[in-house]
Amino acid sequence: MTSTRYARSAIALHWAIAFLLLFQLGLGWHMTSMGKGAAMYAAFQFHKSIGITVLALSVLRVAIRFVKPRPAPVESGVLTGLLMKLVHLGLYAFMIGGPLTGWIVVSTAKVAIPTRLFGVIPWPHLPVSHALNGIAMESHEVLAWMGLGLVALHLAGAVRHHLGGGHENVIGRMIPAVSAPEAARRAIPAALGAAGLLGAAFLSPWLLYRAAPAAPEAPASDTPVAGGSDPAAASSEAVEGPVQAETSEPGEAQTDAPASSEVAVPVAPTSTPAPEASATEAAKPVSWKVMDGGRLGFTASMSGTAIEGRFDQWSADILFDPDALAQSKITVRVPLLSVNTADGSRDSMLKGADFFGSAGTAVFRSSRIRHLGGERYTASGTLSMNGVSRPVTLAFTLHIEGARADVTGSTKLDRTAFGIGQGQWASTDQIAANVDVTFQFSARKAP
Ligand code: HEM
Ligand code: HEM
């Protein structure tokens, strides 16, 4: 009886792939219209994982087609037979081309982010030119629509053929059953059940990912798709360049105030502008070495919730003497990809194209250090990142005891002024513009 029915492996794969494809279609359309956030990134990650699974199953399906004998084609007119062949061919193109184009989209994104299927299996990128990104995205979407149309045709064809042919039992050839007569009895309920399940698979992403801000860690891997969908992502290289011109030489008289509109000085009230350089100009600042254990942190507000993070790598060149502020100078470098908010999925979003992906190293260079009285100081200067330079003032307290200095300070930044947060993140609906930056470290006088 096997000759009238598909092999069991072919049937199992047919339905598994059909189910997953419908889920993928729903998920693809849903996820690209979700508001950005952790839920969206989890959805993207799951889309990639399921998509590659479909690719593997489809390749297996094609292989089985060559190995296991297929039942003889059902009787049909020449034209119907041709149409059926074309639809099947198109379905195979969808099953394999859909995932392949998706894989190319991910491989050609501006910022290559390692892919990890289901959060576990590292998955390589295809070695293809970034120039293909646009066309891959187009094809991916066109194939999705084509696939949906073909599935509708295929379903209509199967039902029509089944009912029209009377004794043909076409659907019975593709449903699990122990015998052909049993398959025949079960065909119509099975087809209805299958159609219901496929419809549910298509709609389920809308239930699974309801864009709650504190999204399911669910199927997340730590791999957001820098899907190339955000051409707004900053293209600029890092950063150090523009600063130099604006930074005054250490010995120079300072003229500029931190007049920036964006930059607030949190700790330092504007009160009496202290007797900064009044001290002995003869004194020479000494170099300080930052000791291990310091922290450079930030707090951002996402949908009203405070998100705490830090940068794991940063370094500072400090030339400082309270009695020689005019010659003192602080330079801080922060490789932005060392961002760490203790959440893998959020971190990879921050390391993606919309945030720090191409923002390079942030560099702060002081141009003027002032003493506000007591242990309080400010350092005004220029912060450069993502190709943008802005005046920024750090407020800090400094406690020096012998060769050791303890420093605590803060500043406020407007992330939008630096183009951090592109695409939908450029608006401040979800992530506020203001980011509080805090730092705390100890330094030792270089011998
Ligand atoms: C995403 C959804 C689907 C895909 C990708 C798909 C794909 C395919 C492919 C490629 C074949 C050809 C197998 C061969 O190489 O001979 C096939 C056959 C078949 N499919 Fe589907 N299918 C889908 C959904 C459905 C649905 C909803 C039904 C519902 C009745 C169905 C019923 C059948 C039947 C009865 C056959 C066998 C046709 C024959 O005997 O020649 N398929 N399907
Ligand atoms: C298995 C079959 C797949 C189907 C049916 C499918 C379907 C879809 C659909 C309908 C969309 C929304 C298209 C739009 O309106 O922009 C989409 C987007 C996307 N898919 Fe897939 N997909 C599949 C596999 C994959 C795979 C394997 C990957 C990556 C490994 C992938 C990556 C993407 C990406 C990155 C987007 C977003 C593109 C954008 O930013 O517009 N897809 N997919």
Side-chain angles (χ1 to χ4, degrees), residues 6 14-15 18 61 65 70 88 92 151 154-155 173 198:
Y6 281 85
H14 174 272
W15 291 111
R61 172 87 179 82
R65 196 176 188 271
R70 283 188 309 143
H88 287 174
Y92 282 119
V151 171
H154 179 61
L155 175 68
R173 289 152 62 96
L198 295 183

Side-chain angles (χ1 to χ4, degrees), residues 21 24 28-29 31 47 51-52 99 102-103 106 137 140-141 144 225 229:
L21 276 173
Q24 280 293 92
W29 279 312
M31 74 186 189
H47 184 77
I52 295 297
W103 191 4
V106 171
M137 282 223 282
H140 195 60
E141 194 176 353
V225 176
S229 52

Side-chain angles (χ1 to χ4, degrees), residues 241-249 256 367 381-384 389-391:
V243 197
Q244 269 128 1
E246 299 180 34
T247 321
S248 43
E249 290 302 309
D256 61 321
S367 50
T382 307
L383 176 64
S384 301
S389 296
R390 299 269 162 172

